[in-house]
Amino acid sequence: GHDVRRPHAPCPFRRLRRAHGAVSDRERSDPVEDAVRSNDMRSTIAVGSGERTAAAGSSHVVAVTSRARSKKEKKYETMLLLRPDILEEEQDQELAKLEAFLTKNGATDFKCIVRGRQRIAYPIEGDWFGIYVLCTYNAMPTTVKTLEEQLSAPVAGNAKKNIVRQATFKA
């Protein structure tokens, strides 16, 4: 007989990145600024050194103060997929750790959108859902490489990792 193969499962981040215009648009809009400009804002709560703004559809925006970008810094987007059963406190802790790591290593213009719980293309650790988070920032390429190494490092012991998938792109 012939070899019948199942088609490869699509990347769980592709649909979300297209929704933000990060894949095909020449003039890429900033999804954080789009969310801030939208009329469906409800409340603002202080989180860490930034602001967290809740919008309709359980999207949250976290924006941190910015400074001038150096010529060698590039704009990056990091898409995180968090466990669906994570508590909001743990989610805030993960984002605060990410923000602290990036600012300690010289990143600027850190902005983060929590897109909420969404169905993913295939089960990861038995879950068909995940919490999507899109972070944009300016950083040196070495900082991004260090971040990726830290995010992909295994967790010691039997503790579950809160970030199940991550992908970083040049914006």
Side-chain angles (χ1 to χ4, degrees), residues 135-171:
C135 300
T136 59
Y137 51 91
N138 298 323
M140 301 294 283
T142 55
T143 301
V144 175
K145 184 175 180 184
T146 309
L147 173 68
E148 288 179 340
E149 289 170 359
Q150 181 180 348
L151 288 176
S152 60
V155 175
N158 291 334
K160 273 184 129 179
K161 201 170 178 185
N162 287 332
I163 300 173
V164 292
R165 289 287 188 273
Q166 59 87 21
T168 301
F169 308 96
K170 259 189 223 178

Side-chain angles (χ1 to χ4, degrees), residues 46-161:
V47 172
S49 63
E51 261 184 22
R52 173 170 235 187
T53 308
S58 74
S59 291
H60 303 297
V61 177
V62 177
V64 176
T65 58
S66 61
R67 64 177 171 82
R69 185 172 104 173
S70 76
K71 287 189 177 185
K72 293 187 180 186
E73 283 184 344
K74 299 192 182 333
K75 187 170 182 174
Y76 291 95
E77 291 180 345
T78 297
M79 181 71 69
L80 304 172
L81 183 62
L82 305 176
R83 284 191 355 244
D85 57 346
I86 191 172
L87 297 174
E88 190 150 340
E89 294 167 356
E90 292 175 324
Q91 179 180 319
D92 291 341
Q93 287 175 350
E94 288 294 331
L95 295 179
K97 282 195 287 187
L98 179 68
E99 176 190 343
F101 176 81
L102 286 170
T103 53
K104 183 181 108 180
N105 288 298
T108 59
D109 295 338
F110 181 84
K111 298 174 186 174
C112 206
I113 299 177
V114 178
R115 298 296 299 170
R117 188 173 189 257
Q118 296 180 16
R119 184 172 166 83
I120 54 179
Y122 52 89
I124 299 174
E125 298 177 9
D127 291 317
W128 281 92
F129 288 88
I131 298 172
Y132 283 86
V133 180
L134 176 67
C135 300
T136 59
Y137 51 91
N138 298 323
M140 301 294 283
T142 55
T143 301
V144 175
K145 184 175 180 184
T146 309
L147 173 68
E148 288 179 340
E149 289 170 359
Q150 181 180 348
L151 288 176
S152 60
V155 175
N158 291 334
K160 273 184 129 179
K161 201 170 178 185

